PDB file of all heavy atoms in Angstrom:
ATOM      1  N   ASP A 250      97.953 149.911  36.609  1.00 98.00           N
ATOM      2  CA  ASP A 250      97.974 150.281  35.194  1.00 98.00           C
ATOM      3  C   ASP A 250      98.968 151.475  34.988  1.00 98.00           C
ATOM      4  O   ASP A 250      99.447 152.046  35.977  1.00 98.00           O
ATOM      5  CB  ASP A 250      96.592 150.538  34.716  1.00 98.00           C
ATOM      6  CG  ASP A 250      95.875 151.762  35.294  1.00 98.00           C
ATOM      7  OD1 ASP A 250      96.626 152.770  35.627  1.00 98.00           O
ATOM      8  OD2 ASP A 250      94.655 151.851  35.284  1.00 98.00           O
ATOM      9  N   PRO A 251      99.121 151.920  33.710  1.00 98.00           N
ATOM     10  CA  PRO A 251     100.101 152.961  33.469  1.00 98.00           C
ATOM     11  C   PRO A 251      99.768 154.314  34.179  1.00 98.00           C
ATOM     12  O   PRO A 251     100.673 155.182  34.301  1.00 98.00           O
ATOM     13  CB  PRO A 251     100.041 153.136  31.940  1.00 98.00           C
ATOM     14  CG  PRO A 251      99.675 151.765  31.445  1.00 98.00           C
ATOM     15  CD  PRO A 251      98.721 151.225  32.473  1.00 98.00           C
ATOM     16  N   ALA A 252      98.489 154.503  34.578  1.00 97.00           N
ATOM     17  CA  ALA A 252      98.078 155.765  35.197  1.00 97.00           C
ATOM     18  C   ALA A 252      98.043 155.578  36.746  1.00 97.00           C
ATOM     19  O   ALA A 252      97.633 156.496  37.500  1.00 97.00           O
ATOM     20  CB  ALA A 252      96.752 156.262  34.695  1.00 97.00           C
ATOM     21  N   GLY A 253      98.334 154.362  37.287  1.00 97.00           N
ATOM     22  CA  GLY A 253      98.453 154.144  38.699  1.00 97.00           C
ATOM     23  C   GLY A 253      97.292 153.484  39.416  1.00 97.00           C
ATOM     24  O   GLY A 253      97.305 153.266  40.605  1.00 97.00           O
ATOM     25  N   ALA A 254      96.170 153.142  38.647  1.00 98.00           N
ATOM     26  CA  ALA A 254      95.074 152.446  39.348  1.00 98.00           C
ATOM     27  C   ALA A 254      95.500 151.053  39.631  1.00 98.00           C
ATOM     28  O   ALA A 254      96.000 150.289  38.787  1.00 98.00           O
ATOM     29  CB  ALA A 254      93.895 152.517  38.386  1.00 98.00           C
ATOM     30  N   VAL A 255      95.237 150.645  40.813  1.00 98.00           N
ATOM     31  CA  VAL A 255      95.646 149.289  41.324  1.00 98.00           C
ATOM     32  C   VAL A 255      94.498 148.308  41.179  1.00 98.00           C
ATOM     33  O   VAL A 255      93.365 148.633  41.528  1.00 98.00           O
ATOM     34  CB  VAL A 255      96.110 149.400  42.797  1.00 98.00           C
ATOM     35  CG1 VAL A 255      96.436 147.968  43.381  1.00 98.00           C
ATOM     36  CG2 VAL A 255      97.396 150.310  42.896  1.00 98.00           C
ATOM     37  N   PHE A 256      94.803 147.091  40.746  1.00 98.00           N
ATOM     38  CA  PHE A 256      93.860 146.033  40.660  1.00 98.00           C
ATOM     39  C   PHE A 256      94.581 144.740  41.018  1.00 98.00           C
ATOM     40  O   PHE A 256      95.780 144.652  41.042  1.00 98.00           O
ATOM     41  CB  PHE A 256      93.281 145.911  39.234  1.00 98.00           C
ATOM     42  CG  PHE A 256      94.262 145.619  38.186  1.00 98.00           C
ATOM     43  CD1 PHE A 256      94.495 144.305  37.749  1.00 98.00           C
ATOM     44  CD2 PHE A 256      94.941 146.719  37.597  1.00 98.00           C
ATOM     45  CE1 PHE A 256      95.432 144.074  36.791  1.00 98.00           C
ATOM     46  CE2 PHE A 256      95.855 146.426  36.559  1.00 98.00           C
ATOM     47  CZ  PHE A 256      96.134 145.164  36.169  1.00 98.00           C
ATOM     48  N   GLY A 257      93.827 143.703  41.406  1.00 98.00           N
ATOM     49  CA  GLY A 257      94.312 142.397  41.657  1.00 98.00           C
ATOM     50  C   GLY A 257      94.050 141.368  40.579  1.00 98.00           C
ATOM     51  O   GLY A 257      93.150 141.633  39.744  1.00 98.00           O
ATOM     52  N   PHE A 258      94.766 140.267  40.609  1.00 98.00           N
ATOM     53  CA  PHE A 258      94.314 139.122  39.739  1.00 98.00           C
ATOM     54  C   PHE A 258      94.519 137.839  40.491  1.00 98.00           C
ATOM     55  O   PHE A 258      95.332 137.775  41.425  1.00 98.00           O
ATOM     56  CB  PHE A 258      95.033 139.167  38.370  1.00 98.00           C
ATOM     57  CG  PHE A 258      96.508 139.311  38.405  1.00 98.00           C
ATOM     58  CD1 PHE A 258      97.366 138.213  38.196  1.00 98.00           C
ATOM     59  CD2 PHE A 258      97.075 140.580  38.441  1.00 98.00           C
ATOM     60  CE1 PHE A 258      98.749 138.384  38.138  1.00 98.00           C
ATOM     61  CE2 PHE A 258      98.486 140.763  38.433  1.00 98.00           C
ATOM     62  CZ  PHE A 258      99.306 139.578  38.255  1.00 98.00           C
ATOM     63  N   TRP A 259      93.755 136.837  40.148  1.00 97.00           N
ATOM     64  CA  TRP A 259      93.598 135.647  40.824  1.00 97.00           C
ATOM     65  C   TRP A 259      93.639 134.463  39.876  1.00 97.00           C
ATOM     66  O   TRP A 259      92.836 134.360  39.032  1.00 97.00           O
ATOM     67  CB  TRP A 259      92.310 135.579  41.649  1.00 97.00           C
ATOM     68  CG  TRP A 259      91.980 134.392  42.428  1.00 97.00           C
ATOM     69  CD1 TRP A 259      91.092 133.426  42.110  1.00 97.00           C
ATOM     70  CD2 TRP A 259      92.625 133.959  43.628  1.00 97.00           C
ATOM     71  NE1 TRP A 259      91.098 132.397  43.068  1.00 97.00           N
ATOM     72  CE2 TRP A 259      92.033 132.685  44.015  1.00 97.00           C
ATOM     73  CE3 TRP A 259      93.625 134.470  44.419  1.00 97.00           C
ATOM     74  CZ2 TRP A 259      92.349 132.023  45.164  1.00 97.00           C
ATOM     75  CZ3 TRP A 259      94.000 133.814  45.561  1.00 97.00           C
ATOM     76  CH2 TRP A 259      93.391 132.549  45.941  1.00 97.00           C
ATOM     77  N   GLN A 260      94.606 133.535  40.174  1.00 97.00           N
ATOM     78  CA  GLN A 260      94.649 132.355  39.408  1.00 97.00           C
ATOM     79  C   GLN A 260      94.085 131.211  40.343  1.00 97.00           C
ATOM     80  O   GLN A 260      94.544 130.889  41.425  1.00 97.00           O
ATOM     81  CB  GLN A 260      96.102 131.929  39.037  1.00 97.00           C
ATOM     82  CG  GLN A 260      96.271 130.587  38.404  1.00 97.00           C
ATOM     83  CD  GLN A 260      97.726 130.285  38.166  1.00 97.00           C
ATOM     84  OE1 GLN A 260      98.561 131.084  37.885  1.00 97.00           O
ATOM     85  NE2 GLN A 260      98.082 129.052  38.376  1.00 97.00           N
ATOM     86  N   ALA A 261      92.876 130.750  39.939  1.00 96.00           N
ATOM     87  CA  ALA A 261      92.153 129.868  40.881  1.00 96.00           C
ATOM     88  C   ALA A 261      92.808 128.505  41.067  1.00 96.00           C
ATOM     89  O   ALA A 261      93.371 127.935  40.137  1.00 96.00           O
ATOM     90  CB  ALA A 261      90.718 129.652  40.362  1.00 96.00           C
TER      91      ALA A 261
END
Side-chain angles (χ1 to χ4, degrees):
D250 69 24
V255 174
F256 61 93
F258 50 101
W259 176 254
Q260 176 185 323

